[in-house]
Amino acid sequence: EISLGLVGSEMCIRDRVELIVGKKGKGKTKVLLDKVNGAVKDANGSIVYLDKSTKHMYELNNKVRLIDVSGFPVKNADEFVGFICGILSQDHDLEQVYLDSFLTTAKLEGKDATETLDQLSAIGETFKVSFIISMSLDKEEVPEAYQDKIICAL
């Protein structure tokens, strides 16, 4: 019975993460930008967009806060999660976090992202924040536990 409870809560937790996947150059950023700009109309709280540069600044609605992760000394995935927690601690109205170039910004290129996605899922559940994430992976390369969180595969 205990394990069933854990599975149930785990499934509930993963509802806080959505994935947009596809190889580099397939159009994930465009999908993410369209999604974030569309979300502004219905958002009650604030929205943050994390990227590896400020390249897409002028494509974002001015109500979305862009954070260029490359300007901060994030060395590994654990520090990235800490960075996310720092953002959450400063904005109690934060509702959605969009993560473009996730594997790059989270320092997970060539590594298994499951643990970091699990951490973001748990954080999302605790703080009632949704994470919409673009990853440069084919659908088949996405960790098994997150296959059902793919909202767009390019």
Side-chain angles (χ1 to χ4, degrees):
E1 283 182 29
I2 291 171
S3 65
L4 284 175
L6 288 173
V7 169
S9 67
E10 216 174 84
M11 288 165 69
C12 176
I13 285 172
R14 289 212 172 93
D15 291 340
R16 292 287 178 179
V17 169
E18 295 180 344
L19 302 176
I20 297 167
V21 301
K23 288 288 190 206
K24 189 171 173 51
K26 291 286 186 184
K28 294 177 302 299
T29 297
K30 169 101 173 74
V31 171
L32 198 64
L33 287 167
D34 288 347
K35 191 159 176 57
V36 69
N37 287 329
V40 170
K41 298 186 241 8
D42 301 321
N44 296 316
S46 51
I47 300 175
V48 172
Y49 188 99
L50 278 76
D51 203 351
K52 62 185 177 190
S53 71
T54 57
K55 180 177 160 188
H56 302 290
M57 181 171 27
Y58 299 108
E59 297 168 69
L60 281 172
N61 183 297
N62 64 358
K63 290 183 173 74
V64 177
R65 181 168 155 221
L66 172 66
I67 299 174
D68 175 4
V69 180
S70 72
F72 297 88
V74 175
K75 290 192 241 30
N76 56 48
D78 287 335
E79 288 186 6
F80 179 77
V81 171
F83 182 73
I84 295 285
C85 288
I87 293 166
L88 291 172
S89 75
Q90 293 300 304
D91 187 348
H92 298 287
D93 293 325
L94 191 56
E95 192 175 287
Q96 297 174 22
V97 177
Y98 289 78
L99 303 170
D100 199 5
S101 308
F102 173 68
L103 297 176
T104 303
T105 56
K107 310 298 183 201
L108 285 166
E109 289 174 301
K111 299 178 182 151
D112 184 358
T114 306
E115 187 179 325
T116 303
L117 290 170
D118 286 346
Q119 287 178 294
L120 292 178
S121 297
I123 291 164
E125 190 60 28
T126 301
F127 296 100
K128 306 296 179 237
V129 173
S130 295
F131 293 96
I132 300 87
I133 301 169
S134 82
M135 297 173 73
S136 290
L137 291 176
D138 275 333
K139 186 180 190 304
E140 300 74 38
E141 298 173 292
V142 173
E144 183 62 39
Y146 285 89
Q147 284 288 325
D148 63 335
K149 297 302 157 199
I150 297 171
I151 58 168
C152 180
L154 301 167

